[in-house]
Each structure stands twice: as structure tokens, then as C-alpha cells.
Amino acid sequence: MTKDELVAKLRDIEWEDFEVKEAKSELPRTIWETVSAFSNTSGGWIVLGIKQSGKTFEIQGVGNIEKLEQDFLTTLRSEKFNQRLAVTSKSYYIDDKRLLAFYVPEVEMKPVYYNNPTNTFIRMGSGDQRATEGEIRAMFRDQSFGKKTEETIPESGIEMLNLDTLRSYRYALSQTSNLIEYRDVDDVEFCEHVNVTNKGLLTYAGLLMFGKAPYVLRYVPTFCVDYIEIPAPTIQEAEVRYTYRIPEQENIWEAVQIILRRFRTLVDAPIHIKEDGFATTDESQYNVLREALANMVMHCDHFDSLRSCIRVYTDHIEFMNGGSFPLPVKDILGKVYSKLRNPTLAKLFRYVGIAENAGYGMNKLASWERLTGTIPMIESDRTYATVSFPLKSAIQRKGETVSDAKNEGRNEGRNEGRNEGRKEGRRLTPRQKSILNIIKDNPSISMVEIADKISVSISTIEREIPKMTHILRHIGPKKGGHWEIIK
């Protein structure tokens, strides 16, 4: 009997995850590991009376079903488990044999273990695995998710802050339209309003954001915001370990300012001349990396020994954070979802325009594909959450900048674009591929509409189209004509 056939027999229940065990007259010893694993992961069913051999199942049945059910429920209510679990039980009668099933739900207050914390298990694939020491510590910290950095530090005060750092932040705030009514108040009142202090005592968030190094390391000895530039696509391929590494900074705000300056050297920020003669800078790519940095710091478990780190390789940039997303990535993207580990840090970043409004950050990261034609990778396990963005090399970006500058500075830019297109043959840039896909969907689309769809200026499209004359041409008048793709 296959799993599908067994599930069909138990069709009155949606069996998303389940574990089968033999149990003729006694509960199997491994059943408590599965209870712990389901409680700590996503919940699931335990079905007694079935033997599994590879991918096939044999219904053997159980003996005294009432005794097994009583033993199971009594153990869950005893002191062997650290929490009382709301388990559902159900019996089945299949092929003249009786089965007993228990549904174990996921709990909010993890970890769930029996006898002692080392007996904490998690569900990996279709099996139970003992949680590592780091995973168990993270579960305990997650019990106060969104609370730890909001707590105050006994016998602390504003004198433990680096006031130069605080003034730097307040200057950045003055360049926005936020908190206008608090621009002229003194530092004490300002800190109280933004929860850097609470009734005169520093919060952990305030200390992390603006604190002096000796105090930060005294109360949060694991604090670190690391940034490394590696001259290769992987660590293994690098001839030297790194070409740049951020020096240790006193606090989060100081580290963020340095990292943001490094980001500006990594991505394109083209300057567009508008019809009125004024220039605008397109910083869309930089803004995505800035959002990723803010997300990393806002969601970081600053009390864990796992170090948050940004690694810049020659072809991509990785944001690595200890811990995991509060929900699977698929359940966060495309939705307005906000569950912050460090709420005050999030608000401080939003006040100065470094982060999006709560719930929109992940979608901002996903916009990298629309901006560059390359797909970011967002992954999460129980140890690290990683967001990676493909990057053009410095040589590629330098070449494109020179080419764009020439085209901007000459009236005959369109002719040069055609020549470049012929030289490149059939190679298309990610942006050109996006243009081509848009035209395939709507051959009558205008260049203004194309520019709007991929969030670039009309002058950018006017430069790109001439480079694509080997595969694309426009038929008819400028208004009312249509595009034709040359096969």
C-alpha cells in the first residue's frame, strides 16, 4: 500500500505531514521524539498500527486501543513534557484492523521537549532530528520575539550613548518630513519619544543603535554588524581572504553609515536629464540593498553568537542573518506581513527613510528582478536566513557607464547604438530582455509605456532600442505604429 492509498483510506483528514509507527500493545519509544518534533515545527499526525517499508505501508493494527490512547494522553499531561499539549485523537477501522491516530499541533512557546531540553526535536523532511544547542537557544529567545530589545537596562542612562552618533541620526531625520515636532527638543526628550529610553532607562534597542562601545559590549557582548568584500565568486576561489572589511563600529548607526557608502560603489545609479534641463538620479538598485541592510539589522537576533554578515563577491552580494524568518518565504512575499524581532530598531530606520513601512520590505527586495533582470535568492533554515542579489562586476558597470555617457553626449547617439547592437550580435542585456518580453506581450506598446513598466526614464529606452535593431524594428508612425520582432 502506498502513502496515497493509505491517505485515501483516511480521506476524512487532510494528511499534510504524518508519521506512522508500529504499536501492537505498547507505545513505541520514539513516539515522544515525534511529538516534540511536530510541536516545534509545523504540527502533524502520528498514526499507530502501520508498518512502513521504504515508500510502502502495511496496516498491522493495534491491540488494546483504549490502553494505548490512555497511556499516550497521560504521558503528555505528566511532568515528562515541559508543556501541556492540546492533542487530538482519532481511531480508524480499516481492513478489519484498528488504527489509532493523534494530531499534534505546532505550539507558539517553543521549545517542547521531554525530561530535559536536550530532548528537543525538530521535523526535517519526513524525519525527526535532535535540535542543536544553537537551535534550542534560538527557540528560547523566540519566546520573547519582538520584546527583548524593548526591555530597559537597569541603572542605565543617556550618558551611555554616543551623543555624536545620536546627533548624526537626528540630522538625517531632519532631512525627512518625519517627527517634525521633535526636531528642536533636547536629546533627553527625543530619546524618550522614540523609545531609545523609557522613563530615563536605556532600552536595549537604544543602546544597540547609538551606544558607546564599552556599554554595548558589556550588555550585548555578541553585537556585530560585519561587512566583507571578497575578490572572487566564492570564498574558495578567492586568492586573498578579502579586499575590504569594515572595522569594528561602536553601534548599529555607525556601521550602517559606512556600509551604505560602500553600497553606492556596487550598483548603477544613472543620471537622467529631464526635458526641463534638471537631472535626476535613479537610485532604485541602491535602495533595494539599503532595504536589505535595514531588514538584516531589524530582524537580527543581536543576542545570539551567530554573526550577521554581508558578503560582497564579484558577481553577487549576500546578506546572512542568524535565525530564520518567522514564516516560510512563500508566505511573506506578495503579502503585507510584519512580525518584527526588534520593533524600535525598525521604527528608527523608517523615521529616516532607510526602511520601508512595516510589512513591505520583502516585496522591495523582490523588485530586484524587475530592476536588473536577475533573480534574488531568499532562503531560510533554522540556522541562517540568507538573501542574495546578483551583481554586475565593476568592469561591466564601468563599460556600460562609458557607453551611456557617449550616447548622452552626442546627437548621433541612435546611430552609435545601432553599431553597438551589430557588434554585440544576439547578446542581450537583462534590461533589453525585459523590453523584448514586454513587446512580445503588447506589440503596440509605446516607449513611454515600456519605460514605465520597467521603472526607467524614456531616455534609457531611447538608448536601448537602437541597440536591438538586429532583432527588433518599429513599423509605421511613431504614434499608432507597432513593433515587429525579427526572427
Side-chain angles (χ1 to χ4, degrees):
M1 178 181 295
T2 65
K3 177 180 178 180
D4 289 341
E5 290 170 337
L6 176 60
V7 170
K9 290 181 177 290
L10 307 174
R11 57 185 174 274
D12 58 331
I13 290 180
E14 185 179 354
W15 297 84
E16 291 183 351
D17 196 359
F18 77 129
E19 177 82 10
V20 300
K21 297 181 183 294
E22 297 181 64
K24 293 183 179 180
S25 58
E26 298 290 337
L27 293 172
R29 286 180 297 176
T30 59
I31 195 170
W32 311 122
E33 299 176 2
T34 305
V35 170
S36 171
F38 280 151
S39 300
N40 291 323
T41 315
S42 301
W45 286 88
I46 301 173
V47 186
L48 303 181
I50 297 176
K51 179 180 180 180
Q52 180 177 357
S53 299
K55 295 184 179 181
T56 63
F57 298 82
E58 178 186 349
I59 298 177
Q60 295 182 329
V62 297
N64 190 338
I65 194 168
E66 290 78 12
K67 178 180 181 299
L68 291 178
E69 182 178 26
Q70 187 63 34
D71 289 348
F72 183 83
L73 297 177
T74 299
T75 300
L76 291 188
R77 293 187 61 82
S78 70
E79 295 183 355
K80 289 189 176 181
F81 272 86
N82 64 315
Q83 292 188 46
R84 295 288 178 89
L85 304 176
V87 172
T88 302
S89 62
K90 191 161 187 176
S91 60
Y92 295 88
Y93 199 69
I94 300 177
D95 296 341
D96 297 326
K97 296 173 183 176
R98 300 184 71 184
L99 303 179
L100 180 60
F102 299 99
Y103 180 72
V104 181
E106 179 185 5
V107 302
E108 183 176 349
M109 298 294 286
K110 303 177 178 67
V112 172
Y113 55 85
Y114 62 98
N115 293 332
N116 62 74
T118 61
N119 289 324
T120 299
F121 288 80
I122 57 175
R123 193 75 174 170
M124 299 291 287
S126 59
D128 306 324
Q129 291 191 12
R130 190 181 297 273
T132 66
E133 183 179 347
E135 289 170 334
I136 296 171
R137 287 201 310 269
M139 289 184 196
F140 277 116
R141 283 194 304 275
D142 285 345
Q143 291 183 15
S144 59
F145 199 100
K147 300 176 183 177
K148 181 61 179 178
T149 50
E150 307 305 292
E151 296 176 2
T152 56
I153 303 171
E155 300 180 6
S156 62
I158 196 171
E159 68 279 359
M160 295 163 61
L161 299 182
N162 183 323
L163 295 184
D164 288 335
T165 302
L166 181 61
R167 293 186 187 108
S168 169
Y169 176 84
R170 296 191 67 177
Y171 174 78
L173 180 63
S174 72
Q175 307 304 301
T176 74
S177 58
N178 297 323
L179 302 183
I180 296 175
E181 66 274 25
Y182 291 97
R183 289 185 179 176
D184 297 327
V185 302
D186 61 23
D187 289 338
V188 173
E189 184 177 350
F190 177 81
C191 288
E192 197 73 16
H193 177 75
V194 297
N195 203 43
V196 169
T197 60
N198 186 346
K199 297 180 180 179
L201 297 177
L202 279 181
T203 62
Y204 281 98
L207 180 69
L208 285 165
M209 194 70 163
F210 305 122
K212 295 176 182 177
Y215 297 110
V216 173
L217 295 178
R218 178 189 301 177
Y219 292 102
V220 192
T222 52
F223 168 72
C224 178
V225 181
D226 206 0
Y227 174 95
I228 307 173
E229 294 177 2
I230 300 168
T234 65
I235 293 177
Q236 292 75 16
E237 297 177 68
E239 294 184 3
V240 296
R241 291 181 61 192
Y242 54 84
T243 53
Y244 174 82
R245 186 168 197 168
I246 186 174
E248 294 287 345
Q249 298 300 305
E250 281 200 289
N251 50 55
I252 289 174
W253 183 251
E254 296 294 341
V256 164
Q257 298 313 296
I258 294 176
I259 294 171
L260 289 179
R261 289 195 288 271
R262 303 298 296 190
F263 281 173
R264 291 193 178 277
T265 68
L266 302 178
V267 293
D268 294 325
I271 298 175
H272 305 304
I273 307 299
K274 299 190 294 184
E275 292 182 358
D276 57 10
F278 288 94
T280 60
T281 302
D282 183 358
E283 295 191 331
S284 301
Q285 295 180 33
Y286 165 78
N287 291 339
V288 172
L289 297 186
R290 186 181 66 181
E291 182 74 30
L293 170 61
N295 268 269
M296 185 184 81
V297 175
M298 293 187 307
H299 293 286
C300 174
D301 184 351
H302 294 283
F303 300 89
D304 192 4
S305 57
L306 291 173
R307 297 166 69 95
S308 296
C309 183
I310 302 170
R311 293 177 179 173
V312 181
Y313 298 91
T314 52
D315 60 354
H316 70 286
I317 178 171
E318 280 183 356
F319 295 79
M320 299 180 63
N321 220 359
S324 61
F325 293 119
L327 286 178
V329 174
K330 64 181 177 61
D331 294 332
I332 299 176
L333 287 175
K335 300 177 182 178
V336 179
Y337 179 81
S338 178
K339 185 178 181 181
L340 298 171
R341 186 183 291 274
N342 306 300
T344 293
L345 294 180
K347 285 190 286 188
L348 289 170
F349 279 118
R350 287 201 298 274
Y351 289 150
V352 292
I354 290 180
E356 288 276 358
N357 289 329
Y360 290 90
M362 290 295 290
N363 292 326
K364 179 89 169 186
L365 306 189
S367 70
W368 187 260
E369 181 177 2
R370 173 177 57 80
L371 295 170
T372 68
T374 60
I375 301 175
M377 298 292 294
I378 304 175
E379 303 172 301
S380 178
D381 58 27
R382 292 189 170 271
T383 304
Y384 271 105
T386 305
V387 181
S388 302
F389 300 94
L391 288 177
K392 295 178 182 177
S393 69
I395 294 175
Q396 285 176 308
R397 287 187 287 109
K398 183 178 179 181
E400 289 185 5
T401 302
V402 171
S403 175
D404 288 346
K406 288 180 179 178
N407 288 338
E408 289 279 5
R410 300 181 182 179
N411 292 329
E412 63 271 18
R414 293 183 178 226
N415 291 331
E416 289 190 1
R418 292 191 184 96
N419 292 334
E420 290 180 12
R422 293 190 187 101
K423 290 177 183 178
E424 290 191 7
R426 294 188 175 276
R427 288 181 298 170
L428 296 178
T429 66
R431 180 181 289 159
Q432 291 166 358
K433 290 179 181 178
S434 297
I435 293 171
L436 194 63
N437 289 332
I438 290 171
I439 289 173
K440 284 180 181 178
D441 292 337
N442 182 9
S444 300
I445 194 169
S446 69
M447 287 198 288
V448 173
E449 291 171 322
I450 295 173
D452 182 62
K453 280 185 172 291
I454 61 176
S455 300
V456 297
S457 66
I458 182 61
S459 60
T460 299
I461 301 300
E462 289 175 342
R463 289 198 308 271
E464 294 288 2
I465 293 294
K467 299 177 186 179
M468 302 170 65
T469 54
H470 59 297
I471 59 166
L472 183 67
R473 64 188 172 201
H474 192 266
I475 307 298
K478 201 168 187 180
K479 290 185 178 180
H482 67 275
W483 300 98
E484 184 177 279
I485 297 173
I486 304 169
K487 295 183 180 180

